[in-house]
Amino acid sequence: MLSTSINPHPIIVRPRLLDTIDRVSEMCFGLFMALTFVGAVSAVTAPQDAGRTMLHTALGCNLAWGLVDAVMYLVRTLTERGRRLSLAQAVRNAKDPSVAVSSLRDALSPAWQALVDDAELESIRSRLAKAHDLPDKPALGPQDFLAAAGIFLIVVLATFPVALPFVVFREVSTALLVSRALTIVLLFAAGVALGRHAGFRGWIAGLAMTVLGIALTVAIVLLGG
């Protein structure tokens, strides 16, 4: 969606490193990755060193996927920034104002197209036409790399609540119980955060996320994940 307000650096400024959806989504991603290893543990057949082996394996997996997710975040950010820059340059260089306004309207999501009239889009077009500080090409800044590092850390840190109990507790059955309890708490907290962010009731969203997370974990394990 194209913002209807233009700041002095509309293309390159990111207000926050990661918003609520980014943080919760990455935490859940790391959580599910770690859960694929926990789901394969049997309290009956697990060897004595199963806990450390699982922690090392789960941590290695999340280190790898955290790196992939961080890099793809940078790719996605640069791509989206390039798309917006291309639109801004096309609008600024358009000889026919109506064509520029049409381009701005096409960039809006369907839900916003009905809420923004041509007069507002013309105001944006006029301001873009006078802008002289647009970059020549999209680029990544320090904030983007900090956000990517944040994604990496969130995915990696999500490993420990799930896998660490198998190192702390010698009894695999106890470790399984603690691991699953921590997982449910984290899923519930993630749902509450998303629910409040979206304007829903926190506890209902928390319960929904818990049920969804359990269902996804079962599906991942059954599919051989």
Side-chain angles (χ1 to χ4, degrees):
M1 182 194 74
L2 179 68
S3 173
T4 56
S5 63
I6 302 295
N7 57 49
H9 302 284
I11 305 300
I12 62 175
V13 172
R14 182 181 177 86
R16 291 185 295 176
L17 292 180
L18 294 171
D19 60 21
T20 300
I21 296 177
D22 288 331
R23 293 194 298 269
V24 173
S25 298
E26 296 302 335
M27 187 271 286
C28 288
F29 175 72
L31 196 62
F32 292 142
M33 292 299 296
L35 283 172
T36 60
F37 296 93
V38 175
V41 173
S42 170
V44 177
T45 61
Q48 292 184 348
D49 62 344
R52 294 187 180 277
T53 300
M54 183 184 359
L55 176 61
H56 294 159
T57 306
L59 183 58
C61 177
N62 277 14
L63 282 169
W65 280 108
L67 177 61
V68 170
D69 219 19
V71 172
M72 290 310 300
Y73 167 82
L74 294 175
V75 172
R76 184 174 69 250
T77 299
L78 188 62
T79 302
E80 180 63 18
R81 194 162 293 163
R83 186 184 70 85
R84 293 179 180 178
L85 177 58
S86 296
L87 173 63
Q89 291 174 338
V91 169
R92 186 183 62 177
N93 298 329
K95 297 181 179 180
D96 187 345
S98 63
V99 173
V101 169
S102 179
S103 297
L104 288 171
R105 180 165 295 282
D106 290 340
L108 294 170
S109 66
W112 279 90
Q113 287 184 3
L115 300 176
V116 181
D117 58 31
D118 286 349
E120 293 172 302
L121 294 177
E122 169 58 28
S123 176
I124 297 174
R125 184 209 66 80
S126 177
R127 294 167 69 180
L128 282 173
K130 299 174 183 178
H132 300 290
D133 57 351
L134 294 179
D136 295 328
K137 59 182 180 180
L140 297 172
Q143 276 196 321
D144 301 311
F145 290 101
L146 285 175
I151 288 174
F152 175 79
L153 288 176
I154 290 172
V155 174
V156 172
L157 291 176
T159 308
F160 293 98
V162 179
L164 196 58
F166 291 89
V167 177
V168 176
F169 299 97
R170 292 185 178 182
E171 292 292 333
V172 175
S173 58
T174 303
L176 275 171
L177 180 62
V178 174
S179 176
R180 289 168 180 169
L182 289 175
T183 299
I184 290 175
V185 170
L186 287 173
L187 288 173
F188 183 81
V192 170
L194 287 179
R196 290 178 176 176
H197 182 73
F200 302 141
R201 291 185 178 180
W203 69 271
I204 294 179
L207 290 176
M209 177 61 79
T210 302
V211 173
L212 176 62
I214 293 172
L216 283 174
T217 302
V218 171
I220 289 171
V221 173
L222 291 177
L223 291 172

